[in-house]
Amino acid sequence: MRTAFTPTQLTDPHIAEAEKNLRACVHCGICTATCPTYVLLGDERDGPRGRIVLMQNMLQKGGVPDAETVLHVDRCLSCLACRSACPSSVDYARLIDEARSHIQTHYRRPWGDRLLRWLIATVMTRPALTRIGLFAAHLAGPLTWLLPGRLKGMARTGLATPIAGPAALPRAILPNARRVALMPGCVQGAIAPGIDAAVARVLARRGIELVPLEGAGCCGSLVYHLGRSEDAKNWARRAIEAYERGGGADAFEGVLITATGCSAHLKDLTHLFLDDPLWLPRARAFAAASRDFLDLATPVAAPEPRPLRVAWHAACSLQNGLKLAGKGEALLAAAGFEVASVPEGHLCCGSAGTYSILQPEISQALRARKLDNIAATEPDIVASTNFPCMNHLAGADGPPFVHAAELVDWVEGGPIPVALMARAG
């Protein structure tokens, strides 16, 4: 594609990256078939090719974007299936991330939208506030109908979500252990702290000791997907400082966070700091140290396999961000499970960070489609390595969902996963 950015605009490294990827796009349209919103809505503006035109016009023109562009950029899930499919190697993430940041800076949303986004950025990034929010939703359950629009949906989601207290991480002090720092994350810690505990036990059996990264918090992906780049930088700086204060590469083999959506964000941190020469090398070192659970959990044959048929839900962040497709299936198969692939596995389930709150109609349509495809595999249980997908898809209308680490931990001598225990009654 031809572009018309000014030399001054191209001094911004984020704009320069976006322009480079715009020029690489040949508008072939191969990406459209992989885009969940295009498949669902059939509107060119809700596919990558149409959005690229809208984003180019917005970024070149600068200033306040029009409502049409904001609508179709907002509808993007950032699943990045288009990036995996692109024969011209267009890095769509560099375009959608810059577009979201531009909208956040230049566009004034209606007050209700601003309030909802502020609540997400403030509450969901902090486990203590998330627990208070869930408690308030449970307490005021009968009154949720009084709330307007998406706030009502957010409250109902909170009402259906169990509350879990803080849980201590099981520490295995192993001689000559490989030490990996563990990021605490945010929402997962408030709802399903058992996942980190299962991961710690699984990795301990493989000679890896997880060490909580004191002082770190949310990875920042939640706010980054809202276009709040400065907030995302602040969360990243906090994590980097905690890692360096703990000894960095001299003390740890790597740094782990147990949701693939967060893990993919940490591995991509370098791009966030392109305009910050002081923090860029520190972000690059931190991103290089980032590990995913499936990087570390080597497949091991289980002594007593459980005869369960497991549908494998590969999160978009696993497939298109981390490029670890196949590793989850191999881990579970080695543990003795019968693993089934889900049809249309490349299509997003509709969770996508905060998407299920901000775009509930599209999100629920994608959820229903994903559950139909999962049901076609006739599973006993569904496994994933991304908690937001699990929380979004779980419910009375579907099979139980577990983190892959919980299943592996179980067959290796750990406790039965909570989701299986609840289903068994």
Side-chain angles (χ1 to χ4, degrees):
M1 287 175 59
R2 291 183 177 179
T3 63
F5 289 94
T6 67
T8 302
Q9 285 178 305
L10 293 175
T11 59
D12 181 333
H14 294 295
I15 291 291
E17 269 210 324
E19 195 262 354
K20 173 186 168 185
N21 284 285
L22 285 169
R23 282 193 287 107
C25 179
V26 296
H27 265 229
C28 64
I30 290 175
C31 54
T32 54
T34 68
C35 177
T37 50
Y38 180 79
V39 169
L40 201 65
L41 304 172
D43 188 327
E44 178 76 10
R45 298 168 299 176
D46 285 317
R49 186 169 58 179
R51 286 195 184 102
I52 283 174
V53 172
L54 292 171
M55 292 189 289
Q56 178 182 5
N57 291 338
M58 176 181 71
L59 295 175
Q60 280 184 173
K61 181 181 175 184
V64 180
D66 58 71
E68 179 193 18
T69 299
V70 173
L71 171 69
H72 296 289
V73 169
D74 280 355
R75 283 180 176 173
C76 176
L77 293 132
S78 288
C79 67
L80 301 183
C82 54
R83 183 170 72 176
S84 293
C86 180
S88 300
S89 301
V90 174
D91 189 349
Y92 181 83
R94 307 284 77 84
L95 299 169
I96 191 68
D97 291 346
E98 183 59 20
R100 289 207 162 105
S101 180
H102 182 91
I103 290 170
Q104 173 66 18
T105 305
H106 295 91
Y107 185 74
R108 186 167 180 79
R109 297 178 182 275
W111 74 268
D113 200 4
R114 296 202 302 276
L115 173 62
L116 184 60
R117 287 168 179 265
W118 178 84
L119 282 172
I120 291 171
T122 304
V123 175
M124 292 179 65
T125 51
R126 295 167 175 84
L129 292 183
T130 300
R131 290 189 187 93
I132 292 172
L134 290 174
F135 179 74
H138 283 251
L139 195 65
L143 303 177
T144 54
W145 65 273
L146 292 172
L147 294 171
R150 290 172 296 178
L151 281 175
K152 184 193 303 179
M154 189 177 183
R156 284 177 173 168
T157 300
L159 187 59
T161 302
I163 308 171
L169 189 72
R171 293 288 301 274
I173 309 301
L174 307 168
N176 303 316
R178 300 156 58 195
R179 298 176 82 240
V180 171
L182 179 69
M183 287 267 295
C186 51
V187 176
Q188 178 181 305
I191 300 174
I195 291 175
D196 279 1
V199 168
R201 289 189 291 268
V202 169
L203 295 183
R205 298 185 192 105
R206 287 153 178 81
I208 298 173
E209 178 188 354
L210 288 188
V211 181
L213 194 57
E214 299 295 339
C218 172
C219 71
S221 63
L222 271 177
V223 290
Y224 192 47
H225 288 164
L226 295 173
R228 303 169 75 111
S229 299
E230 288 306 313
D231 287 350
K233 283 182 178 177
N234 289 336
W235 283 114
R237 290 188 185 105
R238 178 173 164 176
I240 293 167
E241 286 177 335
Y243 176 65
E244 294 173 345
R245 193 166 53 245
D250 293 334
F252 303 115
E253 179 181 304
V255 57
L256 169 71
I257 193 163
T258 58
T260 54
C262 307
S263 186
H265 175 71
L266 293 183
K267 280 186 179 289
D268 204 36
L269 270 191
T270 303
H271 294 282
L272 185 59
F273 288 95
L274 285 178
D275 57 350
D276 190 334
L278 291 178
W279 279 88
L280 180 59
R282 297 168 72 177
R284 184 177 288 125
F286 187 83
S290 177
R291 300 285 184 275
D292 186 76
F293 170 68
L294 293 177
D295 286 326
L296 301 169
T298 50
V300 175
E304 295 183 21
R306 312 277 181 175
L308 285 182
R309 182 171 171 81
V310 180
W312 172 246
H313 171 66
C316 302
S317 48
L318 179 78
Q319 300 182 67
N320 307 314
L322 298 170
K323 302 291 185 185
L324 293 175
K327 285 208 166 188
E329 298 94 313
L331 179 68
L332 293 172
F337 295 104
E338 180 188 357
V339 183
S341 297
V342 176
E344 292 189 338
H346 64 287
L347 286 183
C348 180
C349 67
S351 171
T354 59
Y355 195 90
S356 58
I357 299 171
L358 296 171
Q359 301 286 339
E361 292 83 10
I362 298 174
S363 174
Q364 286 301 313
L366 290 171
R367 178 182 182 272
R369 187 168 181 145
K370 182 65 70 177
L371 288 178
D372 285 345
N373 280 316
I374 288 172
T377 69
E378 300 181 346
D380 297 305
I381 197 165
V382 187
S384 181
T385 48
N386 194 42
F387 173 74
C389 298
M390 295 159 51
N391 196 45
H392 173 63
L393 290 168
D397 54 345
F401 281 77
V402 295
H403 194 285
E406 295 178 289
L407 278 183
V408 174
D409 181 40
W410 180 38
V411 299
E412 293 181 352
I416 183 173
V418 172
L420 270 180
M421 193 163 49
R423 183 57 60 100

